[in-house]
Amino acid sequence: MSLIKSISGIRGTIGGKVDDNLTPVDVVKFTAAFGSWLQKNKNKKDLTLVIGRDARISGAMVNSLVTATLQGLGINVVDLGLSTTPTVEVMVPELNADGGIILTASHNPKQWNALKLLNEKGEFISGENGAEVLKIAENEDFEFAEVDDLGKYETRDDAFDIHIRKILDLPMVDADAVKAKKFKVVLDAVNSTGGISLPPLLEKLGCEVIKLYCEPNGQFPHNPEPLKEHLTDICELVKKEDADLGIVVDPDVDRLALIDEKGEMFGEEYTLVAVADYLLKNKNGVAISNLSSSRALRDVAQNHNSEYFASAVGEVNVVTLMKEKNAVIGGEGNGGIIYPDLHYGRDSLVGIALFLTHLAKENKTVSEMRASYPAYFMGKKKIELTPEIDVDSLLTKMEKEYQNEEVSTVDGVKIDFAENWVHLRKSNTEPIIRIYTEAKSQEEADKLGDDIIAKIKSLI
């Protein structure tokens, strides 16, 4: 079963049976539920939604279904076509729209697609709202418009320009400092929309761009999750081209991974650390990440006499805590940068502009910058689950096993040891338990992960 309905949207593999996979029927039903929910919650007749998609193969089909369904409800559609998650998020308030839908399965392989739902601020809808949408879908509680009241349809092709202009207008982005450095950058956009959104930004920052997999045809040349084992091609090309750095994004451009000038991973956990270091150096404040993110962010915040807090995993949770604490910077350790001066959403474009500004001002190489941060090493493992496994009771058993350590159950089970930590949580997007570990060496982090997997297997 590959259809996952969650409070943040619906995700599944294309084809197969209704309610088991992401079929056209499921797309229509879920779109109709979201549109109907908006109509019930907005006291106005004329609603407009912004939609955009990544370049995956099923995108055009899903786009047609979503567009027609919304128009059938009497909702106007502004279609950005091939776009990025952060660009759609920026354009919803820019166009005074009532919400948005992003068609992307983010880092999932090409057979997946998904609908991500945005409110009028261009932010993911809350858990409570998501539950209401799911209920409407379950009850098929829709009423479609009569022929004279169908929604209008228009396209926009200026969204990237608007997004990039807003980034370059930010006081903390110093385009002149970056231009003076004439950085040579290799870009791996996994044949999705980073290939058309990032080169214009990098060129406006005076960078020479060497494109790798920048054709937005949805044929992902490697696993689209930006992890070390998937990125051998760009690591080699950075060295071969004698580039200053490599930039890697996932298909919807909300996760940012960096490669240093030696062709080594900067570490996607450290994307947020570096950007936070730059911002907190210039303004004391609060930094936020989630429970699965590196301790390095806490250390950097403390270095700048700033505070650090951790939320439950998930962008909605990070954003909620950022607003509560009025954070200067936040994000997730998977390379997701959330810069509230632009918008409350993970955004690789603004992450790149802030990182390059920091790099230019520090006058260091990327590897020198990485060496200036606390050295932590993270292990990311997972256990595939079968439907009959009761994950919640398994996590409760793990909590009991380690009751003498510092344990948090805010989100799954996080066990803090003196020198390292492990975080176990049920994935919202795949039938797996994610196991994140962090320690002072890679061997130690990996061993801790293996030990925990062995312990879990003994309890199944």
Side-chain angles (χ1 to χ4, degrees), residues 398 401-402 450-460:
M398 287 298 284
E401 285 285 322
Y402 293 95
D450 291 336
D451 291 348
I452 291 291
I453 287 172
K455 174 62 77 179
I456 290 171
K457 285 183 173 166
S458 75
L459 296 173
I460 290 176

Side-chain angles (χ1 to χ4, degrees), residues 60-79:
M61 176 197 74
V62 174
N63 183 292
S64 301
L65 292 163
V66 168
T67 301
T69 304
L70 292 172
Q71 288 181 273
L73 286 165
I75 295 172
N76 304 319
V77 175
V78 179
D79 187 354

Side-chain angles (χ1 to χ4, degrees), residues 111-394:
Q111 65 269 32
W112 290 79
N113 212 329
L115 277 62
K116 293 181 174 181
L117 311 177
L118 303 176
N119 63 21
E120 74 284 353
K121 294 176 183 167
E123 297 166 15
F124 289 123
I125 62 171
S126 69
E128 195 184 328
N129 296 159
E132 289 167 14
V133 173
L134 287 174
K135 195 167 185 187
I136 294 169
E138 201 180 316
N139 298 332
E140 299 193 8
D141 184 11
F142 326 125
E143 193 168 324
F144 291 95
E146 294 186 11
V147 72
D148 292 327
D149 301 322
L150 296 175
K152 300 182 191 72
Y153 174 79
E154 66 171 297
T155 59
R156 293 281 295 232
D157 59 7
D158 57 350
F160 291 147
D161 296 337
I162 291 169
H163 189 179
I164 290 168
R165 191 191 70 235
K166 284 178 179 289
I167 290 169
L168 297 176
D169 285 346
L170 291 165
M172 294 305 291
V173 173
D174 189 337
D176 292 336
V178 179
K179 280 177 191 165
K181 287 292 185 185
K182 297 186 169 65
F183 290 124
K184 187 177 189 181
V185 178
V186 179
L187 171 66
D188 176 354
V190 71
N191 284 342
S192 190
T193 51
I196 50 176
S197 57
L198 295 181
L201 170 68
L202 289 164
E203 283 155 13
K204 281 195 164 68
L205 289 167
C207 298
E208 179 189 342
V209 185
I210 294 152
K211 297 178 186 178
L212 175 68
Y213 310 136
C214 284
E215 195 59 47
N217 57 24
Q219 297 289 354
F220 305 147
H222 54 76
N223 184 309
E225 190 164 12
L227 302 176
K228 183 179 182 175
E229 57 268 29
H230 309 148
L231 302 178
T232 47
D233 292 357
I234 186 171
C235 290
E236 283 166 19
L237 192 56
V238 166
K239 285 188 288 188
K240 185 179 160 199
E241 291 285 349
D242 200 21
D244 295 294
L245 73 156
I247 290 174
V248 185
V249 290
D250 64 339
D252 68 325
V253 200
D254 66 352
R255 287 175 64 173
L256 172 62
L258 302 163
I259 314 290
D260 74 16
E261 76 285 358
K262 298 172 182 172
E264 299 290 331
M265 295 291 293
F266 191 74
E268 57 171 358
E269 289 288 330
Y270 283 81
T271 306
L272 176 57
V273 173
V275 171
D277 179 37
Y278 166 56
L279 294 169
L280 295 173
K281 191 173 280 186
N282 289 282
K283 179 186 176 185
N284 286 107
V286 169
I288 305 280
S289 64
N290 65 39
L291 285 162
S292 278
S293 299
S294 175
R295 276 183 187 174
L297 183 60
R298 178 200 67 182
D299 295 355
V300 162
Q302 287 170 352
N303 250 0
H304 294 302
N305 297 316
S306 292
E307 290 186 282
Y308 165 76
F309 298 95
S311 76
V313 173
E315 188 169 328
V316 173
N317 300 316
V318 175
V319 166
T320 302
L321 191 58
M322 284 179 73
K323 288 178 176 177
E324 192 186 304
K325 302 288 184 187
N326 197 20
V328 170
I329 183 68
E332 300 190 278
N334 58 13
I337 303 288
I338 302 173
Y339 186 47
D341 285 11
L342 181 62
H343 67 119
Y344 279 105
R346 296 188 307 193
D347 187 334
S348 293
L349 288 89
V350 79
I352 288 165
L354 291 167
F355 180 83
L356 290 177
T357 300
H358 185 32
L359 189 64
K361 286 177 181 290
E362 287 291 304
N363 205 20
K364 289 176 178 166
T365 63
V366 176
S367 63
E368 284 167 349
M369 185 185 283
R370 176 64 176 80
S372 72
Y373 297 127
Y376 290 109
F377 296 83
M378 191 163 269
K380 296 184 179 182
K381 295 179 184 279
K382 54 192 179 186
I383 290 188
E384 303 279 341
L385 300 174
T386 52
E388 62 274 7
I389 292 174
D390 181 347
V391 185
D392 295 322
S393 95
L394 197 54

